[in-house]
Amino acid sequence: MASDTGAADLEGSVEDLRRRLSRVWETLRGVDIDVRPFRPGRDGPLATFDVPEGEREIDRYWVNAPYAYVVVTYDDADSEHRYYAVEPDLDRFERDLLDRVVDDIRDPLLYREGTGKTDAATLRGELESLLESYGVDAGMDTFHALTYYLYRDFRGYGRVDPLLNDRHIEDVSCDGYDLPIFVYHDEYTDIQTNVSFGKQELDNYVIRLAQQSGRHVSVGDPIVETTLPDGSRAELALGEEVTPRGSAFTIRQYAEDPFTPIDLVEYGTFSIEQMAYFWLCIEHNKSLIFAGGTASGKTTSMNAVSMFVPPRAKVLTIEDTRELSLYHDNWLSSVTRERRYEGTDIDMYDLLRSALRHRPEYIIVGEVRGDEAITLFQAMNTGHTTFSTMHADSIETVINRLENEPINVPRAMVQSLDMLSIQTLTRSGDQRVRRAKTIGEIGGIDQRTGELDYSSAFEWDAESDEFRRNDSSLMDEIADERGWSRSELLREIERRERFLELLRALDVTDYRTFTALVNEYYADPERVMDRLESRADGTAADDGDRRGDVTAGGERAADADRR
């Protein structure tokens, strides 16, 4: 028995020595790797996942096919969902190989001219050369797995990359060392992931995020608010001085293309009637503030209704971090700047004062919270139309915040504000939804009480999840300005509501197309309405033909529709 064991050990040692000698020989002579596109059917899956015991799979979808996908499970014992980011599998040899490749590839990429444009093809070429020089005859599964991790770490967002590629995720939150990252998922709300960072990894990652966005973070200056290259908004904290559990970050994602008014109607945030109301008010230079709590959709709503701004009107936006995106020819965007090594800070107050010298017709300010509010309301009083956001949960709270520390806008100036939209993030049934709780109109100062009058043009009924329309003094003002009778005003409102209904029926949600059609409406409303009606009639006729085919036994068409 002992002799058999010894023979087996000797045989294993000889085999190991043979493999080493073979590897040395391959390294000396080199190899040629025949790189080709990854073929899942032939090369097999790159990433595998086994559902943990006690959990059951709820959902599975790609976030970066064919490399990374997401599995959502449900733990019945804890009554909670879990989120698993699944990336290509690497064995020990492949991990060691990846570490060596990363070290050897970094310098050539760093010193090559134009490295800022390093793409997947460049990384594939460098990887192929290195593997051939190592003498590693890698299979396509290993080659493409290594390519994925190189691109993820050099050009992507490292370990968080699958989360930021998930279109269902709005927020990514890391609260400290060795703690699981949480995300806000549009279907499963707040959910724990399988991604976490150790101490050194997390410190380095926070520094990297700051550097990627052109900012500096250090122990002496540990808090940074910035915008990442993909447009996401990031709040970073380094070390344990201000965040005792360790470095932390929150990344808030925005859609690549901004939401249009049609999108917000589809989501139930606003109704068609409310959007037609905003359109008329914005065209007639009524100033507006969107208020609400965190993540209630204030900036998204402001960006969406800004698409109603008349074409060629000069628009100027002022923000701390870039969030607004307009498809407007005459748009000047400005962002605050913090002093780094020399020069001075440029805050929102400075930008707003400068903005007035550009003679804009519309001024859009990211958020009102300090000295800039006085200048903003002075701009309102001198005929500039302004949009902004602020944190408040009711019309009364907005007025109180504006009139008191630290904003301190005189009541006589507050009355130059025309509209307030109060947003809320709430629950409707078993879903978290965003709704415009109230759209209010600011009146004058009551001579008897000295208080500011206001009224509600629209109110949201939580029980029925519907919007109720009330009388609007702003609509009466617009009718007087245009010389419209009551019937002419109602006819124009109904036409714009019909216009928006047609865009909704035709699924016009691209912000460029939406803005172009609104601009066309300003130029010739009858022509664009006729064209949209014809397109809608044609779509309805096609749908009717398809339904007829199915009714007549067109099973193939029915299957295609289901797919």
Side-chain angles (χ1 to χ4, degrees):
M1 192 73 165
S3 61
D4 290 343
T5 303
D9 290 342
L10 179 60
E11 185 179 345
S13 299
V14 170
E15 181 62 29
D16 184 56
L17 179 61
R18 186 180 293 116
R19 281 198 302 268
R20 292 185 182 208
L21 290 173
S22 176
R23 184 62 58 106
V24 170
W25 170 244
E26 288 179 351
T27 302
L28 290 174
R29 70 180 177 86
V31 298
D32 290 322
I33 300 177
D34 182 20
V35 175
R36 56 171 173 76
F38 181 75
R39 301 170 187 165
R42 174 176 171 181
D43 301 319
L46 288 174
T48 58
F49 177 79
D50 295 321
V51 177
E53 187 177 350
E55 301 177 24
R56 52 190 171 87
E57 184 173 323
I58 300 296
D59 202 356
R60 181 184 294 232
Y61 55 87
W62 290 106
V63 291
N64 187 359
Y67 304 106
Y69 59 89
V70 163
V71 177
V72 178
T73 67
Y74 189 77
D75 188 325
D76 290 297
D78 293 337
S79 300
E80 63 182 18
H81 289 94
R82 302 270 169 76
Y83 180 105
Y84 294 92
V86 185
E87 298 181 284
D89 302 321
L90 295 178
D91 60 26
R92 183 166 183 175
F93 170 73
E94 290 169 332
R95 289 192 178 280
D96 291 341
L97 184 60
L98 177 61
D99 291 339
R100 180 176 177 184
V101 167
V102 167
D103 289 338
D104 291 346
I105 209 172
R106 181 180 287 113
D107 288 345
L109 291 179
L110 185 63
Y111 293 110
R112 174 182 297 164
E113 184 178 358
T115 54
K117 295 187 181 295
T118 303
D119 56 13
T122 302
L123 287 169
R124 279 196 299 270
E126 290 290 334
L127 176 62
E128 181 180 355
S129 298
L130 284 173
L131 293 179
E132 289 177 346
S133 69
Y134 297 161
V136 176
D137 189 10
M140 284 301 96
D141 54 347
T142 297
F143 181 85
H144 285 286
L146 294 176
T147 302
Y148 167 79
Y149 283 108
L150 286 174
Y151 190 82
R152 186 200 76 170
D153 293 340
F154 278 107
R155 299 296 297 159
Y157 290 98
R159 199 171 297 177
V160 180
D161 200 65
L163 311 184
L164 296 182
N165 279 319
D166 188 345
R167 68 186 186 280
H168 296 288
I169 288 180
E170 298 180 15
D171 293 281
V172 178
S173 300
C174 176
D175 302 324
Y177 304 136
D178 299 310
L179 297 174
I181 287 178
F182 279 79
V183 296
Y184 183 86
H185 194 284
D186 62 12
E187 185 170 349
Y188 305 106
T189 64
D190 296 294
I191 183 171
Q192 177 181 311
T193 75
N194 64 328
V195 182
S196 63
F197 289 91
K199 185 179 188 303
Q200 191 62 46
E201 291 176 309
L202 184 53
D203 289 344
N204 291 339
Y205 190 73
V206 167
I207 292 171
R208 176 190 167 188
L209 287 179
Q211 291 173 342
Q212 280 184 302
S213 56
R215 303 294 293 274
H216 171 73
V217 64
S218 65
V219 176
D221 189 13
I223 296 179
V224 169
E225 180 183 7
T226 188
T227 302
L228 300 179
D230 67 353
S232 301
R233 185 173 177 173
E235 185 73 22
L236 312 176
L238 180 65
E240 301 176 64
E241 292 189 23
V242 294
T243 47
R245 295 206 289 179
S247 295
F249 63 84
T250 297
I251 300 174
R252 188 171 177 189
Q253 294 206 93
Y254 296 93
E256 291 183 12
D257 291 340
F259 289 121
T260 67
I262 301 301
D263 290 316
L264 299 187
V265 169
E266 285 291 331
Y267 296 142
T269 306
F270 296 94
S271 66
I272 288 286
E273 292 79 10
Q274 288 170 318
M275 282 300 175
Y277 168 87
F278 280 132
W279 187 359
L280 266 174
C281 290
I282 289 169
E283 179 189 355
H284 292 88
N285 301 101
K286 305 303 180 186
S287 292
L288 168 64
I289 284 181
F290 286 92
T294 301
S296 60
K298 303 182 296 295
T299 303
T300 299
S301 298
M302 183 171 68
N303 199 106
V305 302
S306 297
M307 297 175 193
F308 292 129
V309 171
R312 291 172 295 282
K314 186 163 187 177
V315 181
L316 196 147
T317 58
I318 298 171
E319 304 172 83
D320 282 328
T321 54
R322 283 289 303 272
E323 295 179 74
L324 299 172
S325 180
L326 303 180
Y327 188 63
H328 196 83
D329 293 334
N330 197 4
W331 168 39
L332 174 61
S333 173
S334 55
V335 183
T336 60
R337 184 193 74 179
E338 290 185 9
R339 179 176 58 82
R340 295 177 189 171
Y341 306 109
E342 59 183 16
T344 59
D345 291 346
I346 299 176
D347 58 19
M348 296 184 78
Y349 177 68
D350 298 321
L351 290 176
L352 189 51
R353 285 194 306 168
S354 173
L356 296 177
R357 301 189 188 103
H358 287 280
R359 299 184 65 186
E361 187 175 349
Y362 291 84
I363 301 174
I364 304 176
V365 178
E367 183 178 348
V368 172
R369 53 175 173 252
D371 293 340
E372 71 277 358
I374 294 287
T375 307
L376 184 72
F377 276 84
Q378 285 175 338
M380 285 187 205
N381 278 269
T382 54
H384 298 84
T385 306
T386 65
F387 307 152
S388 190
T389 70
M390 66 185 301
H391 283 82
D393 60 4
S394 67
I395 296 176
E396 297 87 346
T397 308
V398 171
I399 294 172
N400 287 334
R401 283 205 63 200
L402 290 173
E403 293 183 343
N404 294 289
E405 294 284 351
I407 299 178
N408 288 326
V409 177
R411 183 167 297 174
M413 294 178 68
V414 175
Q415 66 179 330
S416 61
L417 176 65
D418 297 298
M419 294 182 289
L420 279 169
S421 179
I422 308 300
Q423 312 272 121
T424 184
L425 175 63
T426 185
R427 285 199 172 272
S428 180
D430 59 351
Q431 292 184 324
R432 293 181 75 176
V433 297
R434 292 175 174 89
R435 295 290 184 264
K437 187 166 62 173
T438 305
I439 297 179
E441 299 179 349
I442 304 298
I445 297 175
D446 190 310
Q447 298 301 317
R448 294 178 294 104
T449 64
E451 298 295 324
L452 203 59
D453 283 338
Y454 58 85
S455 59
S456 297
F458 292 90
E459 293 178 335
W460 176 60
D461 179 38
E463 185 176 352
S464 62
D465 193 18
E466 294 179 350
F467 298 100
R468 183 173 65 251
R469 185 182 221 151
N470 302 320
D471 291 335
S472 167
S473 58
L474 285 181
M475 291 295 101
D476 294 336
E477 284 183 22
I478 291 170
D480 290 340
E481 291 170 12
R482 296 292 294 269
W484 288 339
S485 65
R486 182 70 179 173
S487 60
E488 288 173 322
L489 171 66
L490 294 177
R491 190 158 51 246
E492 181 60 25
I493 293 174
E494 289 171 0
R495 184 166 65 175
R496 297 193 187 205
E497 289 175 0
R498 177 58 183 162
F499 175 88
L500 295 173
E501 285 282 10
L502 288 170
L503 297 192
R504 184 183 184 185
L506 294 168
D507 196 29
V508 177
T509 56
D510 175 73
Y511 77 106
R512 302 170 192 86
T513 305
F514 180 88
T515 305
L517 288 169
V518 169
N519 292 347
E520 191 175 344
Y521 184 96
Y522 278 119
D524 192 338
E526 295 295 342
R527 183 182 65 186
V528 70
M529 289 295 293
D530 289 343
R531 187 157 57 85
L532 292 175
E533 292 282 6
S534 297
R535 285 177 57 190
D537 290 342
T539 301
D542 291 343
D543 289 342
D545 290 341
R546 283 196 294 270
R547 285 193 295 272
D549 291 341
V550 173
T551 303
E555 289 87 357
R556 187 186 309 171
D559 290 341
D561 286 342
R562 283 195 292 272
R563 287 196 294 270

